[in-house]
Each structure stands twice: as structure tokens, then as C-alpha cells.
Amino acid sequence: MTISHAAKEMAKWCDAMTGVEGSSGYIILLALTVVGYIWINDGFQINGSSKLAEEDEEEEPEPLRNFTMKQLRNFDGKVDEKTDEPKPVYLSVGGTVFDVSKGRDFYGPGGPYEMFAGRECGAALATMSFDESLLDDLSACETLGVGDKTELENWLEKFEHYRCYPIKGRLVPQAKLPSSDRIVSMDELAKYDGNNQESPTGEHSGYATHPIYLGALDKVFDVSFGGVPMYGKDGPYQRFAGKDASRALALMSFDPKDVENTDISDLDEKKVKVLKDWVKSFEEKKGYPIVGKLDKES
């Protein structure tokens, strides 16, 4: 049977079924209209939204955080030995930290710009240089010439508005961090309780978010360097922010009596070990910077 003959037979069948002569043409036109509508609207709609939109719905972004140089270096896109999964790819441009994981082919392992992964690279990008001496040098961005500063701004605009790389926070150089040997009074500790939502200024200018202090043993950690969702405003552990949380951490307790009590002299060795494990995790796993020593007598 030829295609022409088959078409005629189909037309006769359509006419017999509908009782309308030439109905096959209308049926074909209707089918094309439906297909066109589906194509234009990117698929069938379910409850007012497409399946594609439901699948691609983005999660609410995490609040901005502060980064130390050491923390940033961890986001190099290499395979994490613990999870066997590739790590995100972050880089800093003039202190602004971007998640460039979408550009892994460029900035990840094996890419042409892999040397920038996990590094501050503003000066290198502005001068179009692969000189490693320009990496991790935020001060170099401040001494750029007029033309290079314009180029740096162009890179920032490109990353944020054209590539739409998410901004994760700000890189804080070691020179801007308080000394780990300074003495922090309980009154000063209480000022950094995670409730300040204003843009940092003054001594904390250049931070993505205000410091959040937490005391443990005799050390004061700034947990705004990665712990904002946990210790920041409305976070599950905010009750520890701005406090000496030694006893509460040792007892794994949210009881207000333990949160307010700073005495750990009555705790047994097992509980003290739990506290020391917390401190070790803060230092080694989380990389929270130590910004002072607790003045227990203040």
C-alpha cells in the first residue's frame, strides 16, 4: 500500500467516524496546534507549573559567610577523600568569594584556570597573569593601576551578572583577624551573639557578616567563618553565640542552666573529653579562627 493510498483510506475513516466530509484536515490541524502549544510552553502544565520548573526549583541560598585563606583553599574542586565526591570550586576576586562550580571545566582540576581554584585571584585576573605570586594577595588589588582596577571591576561584573556565579561570602585576610592572644572579656564576648544583621563597618569592614563569637575552654572562636546557619540569628545553636559554652558543649545540653553556667570544675574526665573534642573540631575540621582568650574572671 502506498503512502498516498493510506492517506486516502485514513481520510475516509475520519469522515465515516465524524460524519463530516474533509474532517481529517481539521484533525491534523488540531494535532499540530496542540503540539505547538506544548513546545512553546516547555511541556504540559501541572497545577500551574511545569514539571521542569518543579525539578529545577532552587533551594534557599545559605547566608553569606566569612572565609579565611585556609578555609578557601579547601574548595579546589578535587575529590574529597572522605566522601569520594568532587568538592565545590570557589575562588575569590578582590575579596568576594564566588562558587564557580558551574565553570568546573575552566576552574576545576585539569581546567585552564585550575590554579585559581580555592585562591584569591583578583590581581591575577585584572592583569591577565598566571604569576602565582599574585595569588592570595588581597593587598595587590588595592595597588592596581587605573586600567587594571577597571579590569578587576569587569571580572566582578562578569562573574556576578553574566556568569551568575553565586556569591558565598568574603575573604578576610589574616592581617584583619584579631590576635589569638588578646584577652576577651565576657562583656565583649556577649556583643557578638549573631543578632547583628547590619552590614559590617569599621574594624570589620570587608567582612561578609558580623563576627559571631563562641567561647570553649579558654579559647574564643569566630564561628561566622562557616557557622552562620548554625550559630547565627535563629540558628539551632544560636543560644551558644556570645557565650562561654564550655559546660553546655561538654554535657551536650541546651538547658539554659548549663548554657549560662561557665563552671566545668565538677565535670568528670569523660565530659571534659567531649568538650576537648568540640574544640578540636572547631580548630581542625571547621577551621574557625581563634580570636582571643577568655577572661574567665571578668
Side-chain angles (χ1 to χ4, degrees):
M1 180 184 293
T2 65
I3 295 176
S4 175
H5 182 68
K8 289 179 180 179
E9 291 297 319
M10 177 64 72
K12 289 180 181 180
W13 181 82
C14 290
D15 291 348
M17 293 296 294
T18 62
V20 179
E21 186 176 355
S23 60
S24 60
Y26 293 104
I27 293 173
I28 293 172
L29 180 61
L30 176 61
L32 291 173
T33 301
V34 172
V35 171
Y37 175 83
I38 294 172
W39 178 72
I40 291 172
N41 289 278
D42 293 326
F44 288 105
Q45 299 291 311
I46 300 177
N47 295 329
S49 61
S50 69
K51 290 182 179 179
L52 183 62
E54 289 179 357
E55 292 173 358
D56 290 348
E57 185 176 353
E58 295 183 0
E59 296 181 0
E60 185 177 345
E62 289 188 355
L64 297 180
R65 55 163 288 185
N66 300 313
F67 289 84
T68 64
M69 290 282 187
K70 185 177 180 180
Q71 287 176 329
L72 183 62
R73 289 296 291 269
N74 185 56
F75 295 94
D76 56 8
K78 296 178 181 178
V79 174
D80 190 321
E81 295 180 356
K82 296 180 180 178
T83 65
D84 205 30
E85 296 289 335
K87 293 181 287 187
V89 186
Y90 291 2
L91 56 78
S92 172
V93 181
T96 300
V97 178
F98 292 92
D99 181 350
V100 298
S101 298
K102 290 189 297 184
R104 184 179 295 275
D105 290 344
F106 288 95
Y107 302 102
Y113 298 100
E114 67 174 322
M115 68 180 297
F116 296 155
R119 312 291 290 271
E120 160 56 40
C121 55
L125 289 173
T127 57
M128 302 297 289
S129 171
F130 286 98
D131 184 351
E132 192 161 356
S133 67
L134 293 175
L135 298 180
D136 299 333
D137 188 357
L138 263 176
S139 62
C141 295
E142 300 173 1
T143 58
L144 292 171
V146 176
D148 290 337
K149 282 186 177 179
T150 299
E151 189 62 29
L152 178 62
E153 292 299 322
N154 290 339
W155 276 102
L156 284 166
E157 184 176 5
K158 176 183 178 181
F159 275 32
E160 183 175 358
H161 300 294
Y162 292 94
R163 296 299 184 188
C164 298
Y165 292 139
I167 295 176
K168 306 302 289 185
R170 295 281 302 177
L171 177 64
V172 180
Q174 185 66 35
K176 290 208 69 172
L177 293 174
S179 170
S180 59
D181 292 326
R182 70 173 181 140
I183 303 300
V184 179
S185 69
M186 300 301 285
D187 287 341
E188 183 178 2
L189 182 70
K191 294 177 183 178
Y192 300 100
D193 59 1
N195 283 316
N196 194 337
Q197 302 296 295
E198 297 179 1
S199 297
T201 58
E203 64 179 319
H204 298 124
S205 177
Y207 280 53
T209 184
H210 278 275
I212 304 172
Y213 286 179
L214 183 151
L217 285 177
D218 62 339
K219 300 176 180 179
V220 178
F221 295 92
D222 187 346
V223 296
S224 69
F225 286 77
V228 177
M230 301 301 290
Y231 300 96
K233 188 173 177 61
D234 299 325
Y237 293 99
Q238 191 192 3
R239 68 196 72 196
F240 298 155
K243 299 182 183 298
D244 175 3
S246 298
R247 186 178 185 87
L249 292 173
L251 298 175
M252 305 285 285
S253 171
F254 285 144
D255 189 322
K257 292 185 296 183
D258 295 322
V259 174
E260 297 299 330
N261 186 356
T262 62
D263 183 23
I264 60 172
S265 61
D266 62 326
L267 300 183
D268 59 33
E269 290 185 8
K270 185 177 180 179
K271 296 295 189 298
V272 172
K273 184 181 182 304
V274 170
L275 174 57
K276 290 181 177 179
D277 287 343
W278 275 99
V279 171
K280 182 178 181 180
S281 177
F282 288 165
E283 289 188 61
E284 299 178 8
K285 183 179 179 180
K286 300 296 185 181
Y288 297 143
I290 300 173
V291 293
K293 296 180 179 180
L294 271 177
D295 182 5
K296 299 272 190 176
E297 298 179 359
S298 62

